[in-house]
Amino acid sequence: MPAIPAVSVANLRDLGGLPLGGGRSVRSGLVLRSGQLDRLDPAEALVTGLGLRTVVDLRTDAERTERPDLLPDGARVLVADVLADHLAASGLPPAARLKTLLTDPALAEQHLGGGRIHEAMRRTYRAFVTSDSARASYRALLAELGTPGAGPLLFHCTAGKDRTGWAATVLLSLLGADETTVREEYLAVNPAVRQAFAPMIEGFVTQGGDPELVLAMVGVLPEYLDAALEEVADRHGSMEAYVRDGLGVPDDLADLVRERLTVYAA
């Protein structure tokens, strides 16, 4: 799934066109994902051409305050703070501290070296499934997507890889994408994210930072997604049951989401 080459929005992608099996695919132009919109240029043609009507911001209050979104003309924002509960219990996760950690290799090694980054990320992904704030946030996203007549929607966090990646996984699974498609879409963000952080990655390594550590911080790994999927399987048995019982999305709303976002081949 190639990124939309917008200059002012990092890691911008349309989920449209992804295969769902049975001759179906995700309808183009209705649901997009990206990194934060603090540098968005409302005049950029690739952005204005999307016709975005709703932006779902999955970031924390601190992230939103530090780097407020610049909204496309005519768009409204829906705040859905995925990490509110996890933040209160465990502190700011690595993905939300990237810029601080990437400027200090010693601090990064102290807090996240020796495999601690992997465990921290797995713990965060499990919280995407279990915490009240995450469940409420992903429920709100699906409810918005199921609203009849709703215009194109974009959801994002900071880098557009973890909170956003799980949102895409849940949505694609609900629509009927197979595991290969879901995993490929999840991992497809790595080149764009690494490009966005390239100067900081280079500086981190130049200062003696561990390249493996920085890639574990900046990118997404299969084991992170596995942690959330395993939590879903353990608690709910299936993604469908997680959406219905864990997120509290009734079957009729799930059907509306499928109807709006699915297109059949001619």
Side-chain angles (χ1 to χ4, degrees):
M1 186 181 66
I4 298 171
V7 174
S8 66
V9 181
N11 201 9
L12 176 61
R13 298 168 183 275
D14 185 348
L15 297 183
L18 288 173
L20 300 174
R24 301 174 304 127
S25 62
V26 181
R27 193 182 300 274
S28 295
L30 278 186
V31 57
L32 300 98
R33 56 176 291 180
S34 74
Q36 61 194 14
L37 305 183
D38 61 310
R39 295 175 54 246
L40 181 143
D41 180 357
E44 184 175 2
L46 281 174
V47 175
T48 58
L50 298 173
L52 294 173
R53 305 302 299 169
T54 303
V55 171
V56 179
D57 190 340
L58 305 173
R59 297 177 300 167
T60 65
D61 180 65
E63 291 170 297
R64 297 192 307 272
T65 299
E66 182 180 358
R67 294 186 179 274
D69 275 352
L70 301 177
L71 296 178
D73 291 341
R76 58 183 276 267
V77 65
L78 174 65
V79 172
D81 186 344
V82 170
L83 290 174
D85 294 342
H86 184 67
L87 179 65
S90 305
L92 206 60
R97 292 183 286 145
L98 274 177
K99 292 190 176 180
T100 299
L101 294 170
L102 286 175
T103 59
D104 191 338
L107 182 66
E109 181 64 35
Q110 175 186 347
H111 288 280
L112 299 173
R116 288 187 290 274
I117 175 62
H118 298 273
E119 178 50 39
M121 293 304 298
R122 289 193 295 266
R123 186 165 56 247
T124 298
Y125 272 69
R126 289 191 289 268
F128 292 165
V129 177
T130 61
S131 76
D132 289 343
S133 61
R135 291 189 293 114
S137 296
Y138 293 124
R139 178 172 61 249
L141 171 61
L142 293 178
E144 195 68 25
L145 287 170
T147 301
L153 176 149
L154 178 144
F155 58 93
H156 77 89
C157 51
T158 295
K161 67 186 187 77
D162 298 308
R163 287 162 285 186
T164 299
W166 181 244
T169 292
V170 173
L171 177 58
L172 290 173
S173 299
L174 176 65
L175 296 179
D178 62 22
E179 182 178 351
T180 298
T181 299
V182 169
R183 288 184 177 275
E184 286 180 352
E185 193 281 332
Y186 171 75
L187 294 170
V189 302
N190 275 328
V193 173
R194 290 171 184 172
Q195 179 181 5
F197 286 95
M200 300 187 77
I201 294 172
E202 182 178 354
F204 183 87
V205 175
T206 299
Q207 294 178 71
D210 181 356
E212 293 295 325
L213 179 58
V214 73
L215 291 178
M217 285 193 291
V218 168
V220 293
L221 299 177
E223 67 183 86
Y224 301 164
L225 182 59
D226 288 342
L229 292 173
E230 289 165 5
E231 197 69 34
V232 166
D234 290 345
R235 289 177 176 266
H236 302 286
S238 69
M239 185 65 79
E240 183 176 297
Y242 159 69
V243 170
R244 183 183 62 247
D245 304 326
L247 300 186
V249 174
D251 290 340
D252 57 347
L253 175 55
D255 289 340
L256 281 173
V257 174
R258 294 187 187 99
E259 181 181 347
R260 288 197 67 236
L261 299 183
T262 298
V263 63
Y264 289 83

